[in-house]
Amino acid sequence: MKSFYNLLVISLLLLFSMTFQTINAQDFQGRAVYQTKTTMDMGNWGGRELSEQQKKQMMERMKTFLEKTFILTFNKTESIYKEEERLEAPGAGGGGRGFGGFGASLTGGPQYKNVKDLALLQEQEFFGKQFLVKDELKKLDWKMTGETKQIGQYMCLKATATKEVDEFDWRSMRRRDDTAEKKTDTTATKEVSEEIEIPKTVEVTAWYTPQIPVSHGPGEYWGLPGLILEVSADRTVILCTKIVLNPADKEEIKVPSKGKEITQEKYNETVKEKMAEMREMWSGRNRSRGF
């Protein structure tokens, strides 16, 4: 299997040698558009079972929060990943406020990666305060499977990995009594909600193309010998829908600089402290009302 995989990769690299020449150009730049979709379990939130109609209405309200479009602009070593700007539809009601403002408050800004220097920078706004999360890129231990499939005009190879989940990654939040498919180890996260838990790890499947031999990908995913075009991780699917190599209107890849510089660990501590403060505030209000 390993020799078959090596032979397959070599064949693909020879087949796409012209693309290599394009990417090795001094001013090479690429742009990839990704559609992301996260599914959620709509059953029995808040201690009550929702009807199918209520689930449908809730999913529709949260659509702008669960389905997003991102643009990855990249060169040989750097990339910037940011959400596509769009106007909210009238009456949408702010889907990101579905967790009482929690999900919206954790929405990240532009994310910069440098795969050569292993640098990660992301602008992050949390309850009106601007932070610049600065950390080292985390490597995933990718396992090559040798499987292939076509995505658009690109031949892709499959790789899998196990990823540690950030304790405030809303995409993997689930009800504590959700026991379906116990394939992941879970840990309680009482700081967020008594009803919610987040897995410690999730299995990731990625499809990458050697036709575009850069180590970039959407979000936190990178480190494969080709651009990652599709990712499945827990309840989230990320799919590349458009690629433009060497666009006429090249965009400068700017290193984010807005906000107070902080590590991911310190940022998570800040979030915990704020959530504890809010919990105390709300419990105080409930006590004063005699609840």
Side-chain angles (χ1 to χ4, degrees), residues 179-280:
T179 56
E181 294 189 14
K182 286 291 183 180
K183 293 182 180 179
T184 55
D185 184 19
T186 58
T187 182
T189 312
K190 294 183 179 179
E191 291 83 357
V192 178
S193 169
E194 292 295 332
E195 285 193 2
I196 293 173
E197 64 181 4
I198 298 177
K200 289 181 179 178
T201 62
V202 294
E203 296 303 309
V204 177
T205 298
W207 293 90
Y208 69 95
T209 177
Q211 285 180 258
I212 308 177
V214 295
S215 294
H216 299 304
E220 66 265 49
Y221 303 105
W222 68 286
L224 286 166
L227 181 66
I228 298 173
L229 301 190
E230 183 179 324
V231 175
S232 297
D234 196 28
R235 299 178 175 192
T236 297
V237 175
I238 307 172
L239 179 63
C240 182
T241 58
K242 182 180 180 181
I243 296 174
V244 179
L245 298 180
N246 285 324
D249 55 334
K250 287 187 170 61
E251 178 184 338
E252 182 183 356
I253 298 178
K254 296 181 180 178
V255 180
S257 59
K258 189 191 300 183
K260 177 185 176 183
E261 192 172 302
I262 192 171
T263 65
Q264 187 67 54
E265 183 180 0
K266 289 293 183 183
Y267 177 76
N268 285 356
E269 289 177 8
T270 301
V271 173
K272 285 181 183 179
E273 289 171 5
K274 183 64 177 179
M275 298 308 293
E277 178 186 318
M278 290 179 65
R279 227 178 22 251
E280 184 63 28

Side-chain angles (χ1 to χ4, degrees), residues 85-105:
E85 293 183 6
R86 64 180 178 182
L87 295 174
E88 188 172 313
R97 295 171 181 81
F99 292 109
F102 178 74
S105 67

Side-chain angles (χ1 to χ4, degrees), residues 11-288:
S11 301
L12 287 171
L13 294 181
L14 289 173
L15 181 62
F16 307 134
S17 58
M18 289 182 66
T19 309
F20 272 88
Q21 294 173 12
T22 301
I23 288 174
N24 282 329
Q26 191 67 30
D27 61 345
F28 166 76
Q29 187 178 106
R31 191 176 300 157
V33 179
Y34 292 88
Q35 300 285 344
T36 73
K37 184 173 183 179
T38 300
T39 58
M40 293 189 67
D41 178 12
M42 290 285 112
N44 197 28
W45 282 95
R48 63 190 182 90
E49 189 70 32
L50 298 178
S51 67
E52 290 304 314
Q53 182 63 24
Q54 288 173 321
K55 291 177 186 178
K56 186 177 178 180
Q57 290 174 347
M58 186 174 289
M59 287 298 293
E60 190 61 34
R61 285 178 60 85
M62 297 183 70
K63 189 173 182 179
T64 56
F65 181 52
L66 298 173
E67 299 179 18
K68 293 179 177 291
T69 301
F70 289 85
I71 298 174
L72 179 73
T73 303
F74 57 91
N75 56 34
K76 287 182 286 186
T77 59
E78 300 172 289
S79 70
I80 193 84
Y81 186 69
K82 56 187 177 182
E83 186 177 350
E84 181 182 57
E85 293 183 6
R86 64 180 178 182
L87 295 174
E88 188 172 313
R97 295 171 181 81
F99 292 109
F102 178 74
S105 67
L106 289 179
T107 300
Q111 181 191 69
Y112 169 86
K113 298 197 296 285
N114 188 313
V115 297
K116 181 181 178 182
D117 299 335
L118 299 181
L120 172 66
L121 281 164
Q122 178 156 3
E123 292 179 1
Q124 189 86 34
E125 185 179 344
F126 180 65
F127 281 99
K129 291 185 178 180
Q130 193 72 35
F131 295 91
L132 181 63
V133 180
K134 183 177 182 180
D135 238 318
E136 185 175 290
L137 274 178
K138 294 180 180 177
K139 292 183 178 180
L140 288 176
D141 184 17
W142 293 108
K143 303 287 192 301
M144 310 302 183
T145 68
E147 296 176 64
T148 66
K149 79 171 180 178
Q150 192 84 11
I151 297 179
Q153 68 185 65
Y154 297 97
M155 177 63 70
C156 296
L157 299 171
K158 182 180 178 180
T160 62
T162 299
K163 183 189 78 165
E164 291 185 4
V165 181
D166 183 272
E167 59 188 314
F168 290 107
D169 190 341
W170 61 267
R171 295 169 299 182
S172 289
M173 287 181 180
R174 62 197 69 197
R175 291 183 297 114
R176 192 175 303 285
D177 61 347
D178 184 4
T179 56
E181 294 189 14
K182 286 291 183 180
K183 293 182 180 179
T184 55
D185 184 19
T186 58
T187 182
T189 312
K190 294 183 179 179
E191 291 83 357
V192 178
S193 169
E194 292 295 332
E195 285 193 2
I196 293 173
E197 64 181 4
I198 298 177
K200 289 181 179 178
T201 62
V202 294
E203 296 303 309
V204 177
T205 298
W207 293 90
Y208 69 95
T209 177
Q211 285 180 258
I212 308 177
V214 295
S215 294
H216 299 304
E220 66 265 49
Y221 303 105
W222 68 286
L224 286 166
L227 181 66
I228 298 173
L229 301 190
E230 183 179 324
V231 175
S232 297
D234 196 28
R235 299 178 175 192
T236 297
V237 175
I238 307 172
L239 179 63
C240 182
T241 58
K242 182 180 180 181
I243 296 174
V244 179
L245 298 180
N246 285 324
D249 55 334
K250 287 187 170 61
E251 178 184 338
E252 182 183 356
I253 298 178
K254 296 181 180 178
V255 180
S257 59
K258 189 191 300 183
K260 177 185 176 183
E261 192 172 302
I262 192 171
T263 65
Q264 187 67 54
E265 183 180 0
K266 289 293 183 183
Y267 177 76
N268 285 356
E269 289 177 8
T270 301
V271 173
K272 285 181 183 179
E273 289 171 5
K274 183 64 177 179
M275 298 308 293
E277 178 186 318
M278 290 179 65
R279 227 178 22 251
E280 184 63 28
M281 179 182 69
W282 282 106
S283 63
R285 286 184 182 180
N286 290 337
R287 283 195 298 270
S288 67

